[in-house]
Amino acid sequence: MPIEFFKKTLDPVIALSAIAVLDIFLFLQVGAWTVGGGETMMTGLIAQVFMGEELQRLPFWNLVFEPDPTYWKIYISLGMLFGAFVGAVLSKEFYIRFPRRLSEWVMITIGGLLMGIGIRLAFVCNVSTFFGMGPEMNMGGYLAMSGILAGAWVGSMVYKRILEG
Amino acid sequence: MSAIGQCLIAFIFGSIVGLLVQRSRFCNTAALRDAILFKTYRNTKALLVAMIILTLGFTAFLTIGEGNPMHFDVGLNTFAGLFIFGVGMVLAGACTVSTWVKTGEGNVGALWALLFTFVGMFLFSLLWSANYWPPAPASMTGEPNLEALQLGYANAATLQEKLGIPAIVFGMIQAGVLFLIYRAIRRKEEAQAERHRQATASATMAQPAE
């Protein structure tokens, strides 16, 4: 790979076009790009470590997501973490950074919780919405896109209020 | 394909995606938030181009019965869930992709968001185990179930089956609509750039000569 690749920022249109072509290949092999399903399975696997057999008493982890470490969607997320780490190290952009203000920690915590609850309620995440269901012209894609646009608008208004103090 | 083969393909795909997203600074949250708040469209245009390519690609393969489309019923929960998600991603400043990518860059805030996404999912599993809504995949029928606020299952392939029109035709219509949105954004950007040029030129002319 040319060294220039790690020096300049890549045009996102080029990056996303390449990802789209790869996503079509993935769609033919196993299914379209998704992140939420893999994250849920990871949640189940982590919960199993802490709770053991107790986890089976929660019907969700029997009927919807039975913990399985060979669930392929997990490895998309782990791959993204690995790819980003390699990219950041080779471009000398890797460094440990922390949110500075308490308000940032609070917003990230609430935001993370809402993302997790939202993904499970909908059965889809933003990636499945825009890179799976939407392009498959699934009815759920239009519901999900309407929902995320409305949510992003409300979130942006809240964010603006916080920025303005 | 074996489970190990699927996991391997998924990992290779994810690694390339992680690298490309890290190098391009693409962010799905920014694609929506920046368009709404700041009227800038760097990420929005990339998202639209990807959706155009994917729509044509997916529907072309669905036309000939190939591919593995997502298969589950949708309903009110789909809208409500993504609404909650949309609020959350703007507050957290990251979506499902950027939490992983930023964590890979050493961003502890993104890792924190990721951990609380897991916590949110676990909390939802407690709630679901008490009320069993939305219906579990095994009990989905593909048909509308208004009692459970479910609309069923439909995509370009089911439209082809019902109407006898190839899925790619619907795909071309959707791609056309996405292209019109992309073109409108480009025109808006060009108008913004033109206004900026004019403002710079008049500011230069207004400066007194020495």
Side-chain angles (χ1 to χ4, degrees):
Chain A
M1 196 171 284
I3 201 82
E4 280 297 304
F5 182 78
F6 296 104
K7 283 186 176 171
K8 288 181 183 167
T9 301
L10 184 65
D11 182 345
V13 172
I14 294 172
L16 267 286
S17 300
I19 290 172
V21 173
L22 289 171
D23 192 17
I24 294 170
F25 173 75
L26 195 70
F27 171 75
L28 291 172
Q29 296 301 316
V30 280
W33 180 22
T34 176
V35 181
E39 288 184 343
T40 310
M41 194 57 87
M42 281 187 242
T43 304
L45 290 166
I46 295 166
Q48 202 172 41
V49 169
F50 288 104
M51 296 173 67
E53 292 299 310
E54 279 291 298
L55 187 70
Q56 297 304 310
R57 291 175 62 185
L58 289 173
F60 180 89
W61 300 105
N62 290 312
L63 301 172
V64 185
F65 272 89
E66 200 172 338
D68 173 13
T70 63
Y71 189 58
W72 62 275
K73 293 174 185 175
I74 294 173
Y75 298 91
I76 295 181
S77 299
L78 297 180
M80 289 194 300
L81 181 70
F82 174 72
F85 174 72
V86 170
V89 168
L90 293 178
S91 56
K92 298 187 174 62
E93 288 172 2
F94 181 87
Y95 60 96
I96 303 293
R97 64 207 96 171
F98 293 87
R100 288 179 191 165
R101 292 188 297 270
L102 178 65
S103 61
E104 284 181 72
W105 285 101
V106 172
M107 285 219 297
I108 293 169
T109 306
I110 295 170
L113 281 171
L114 291 178
M115 286 200 289
I117 292 167
I119 288 172
R120 281 301 14 114
L121 175 61
F123 276 112
V124 286
C125 63
N126 63 309
V127 173
S128 307
T129 299
F130 292 110
F131 299 89
M133 281 180 125
E136 286 166 16
M137 300 186 74
N138 187 307
M139 177 167 48
Y142 303 113
L143 289 167
M145 278 190 266
S146 314
I148 200 169
L149 285 171
W153 186 82
V154 170
S156 296
M157 293 305 119
V158 174
Y159 183 77
K160 197 176 167 188
R161 277 275 175 91
I162 293 167
L163 278 184
E164 288 167 353
Chain B
M1 190 187 293
S2 70
I4 300 294
Q6 289 183 342
C7 294
L8 193 65
I9 285 182
F11 185 78
I12 295 168
F13 171 82
S15 301
I16 301 171
V17 167
L19 183 66
L20 290 170
V21 171
Q22 197 278 327
R23 294 311 306 133
S24 66
R25 308 255 173 279
F26 172 77
C27 178
N28 200 166
T29 306
L32 304 180
R33 182 200 58 204
D34 293 355
I36 294 167
L37 271 186
F38 309 116
K39 309 294 176 211
T40 57
Y41 305 97
R42 177 183 183 270
N43 293 286
T44 319
K45 285 185 294 181
L47 180 64
L48 285 168
V49 169
M51 285 186 75
I52 292 170
I53 296 170
L54 286 169
T55 300
L56 293 173
F58 285 177
T59 53
F61 283 109
L62 288 175
T63 304
I64 54 171
E66 294 291 332
N68 298 284
M70 293 178 181
H71 204 296
F72 51 84
D73 291 359
V74 296
L76 179 67
N77 62 300
T78 318
F79 176 85
L82 263 293
F83 177 83
I84 294 169
F85 180 91
V87 175
M89 76 172 189
V90 174
L91 293 183
C95 65
T96 50
V97 179
S98 43
T99 47
W100 287 101
V101 171
K102 288 178 182 176
T103 300
E105 291 176 327
N107 187 322
V108 178
L111 177 63
W112 190 255
L114 198 52
L115 291 176
F116 275 87
T117 303
F118 290 171
V119 173
M121 286 176 168
F122 187 75
L123 290 178
F124 183 82
S125 79
L126 297 176
L127 194 66
W128 192 92
S129 299
N131 66 19
Y132 293 83
W133 190 81
S139 62
M140 289 175 176
T141 59
E143 297 299 323
N145 174 5
L146 296 181
E147 205 176 311
L149 304 171
Q150 296 293 290
L151 296 173
Y153 172 72
N155 65 10
T158 61
L159 280 177
Q160 172 174 305
E161 207 176 291
K162 278 184 186 155
L163 305 174
I165 299 168
I168 185 68
V169 174
F170 301 109
M172 285 164 77
I173 295 168
Q174 176 161 296
V177 172
L178 291 168
F179 177 74
L180 289 176
I181 299 171
Y182 177 82
R183 199 176 63 171
I185 287 175
R186 286 297 303 266
R187 285 182 175 169
K188 199 171 179 180
E189 280 185 328
E190 281 162 16
Q192 278 173 350
E194 183 57 33
R195 276 199 299 275
H196 181 72
R197 268 195 298 274
Q198 282 173 1
T200 313
S202 32
T204 313
M205 283 172 72
Q207 275 181 359
E210 286 183 24

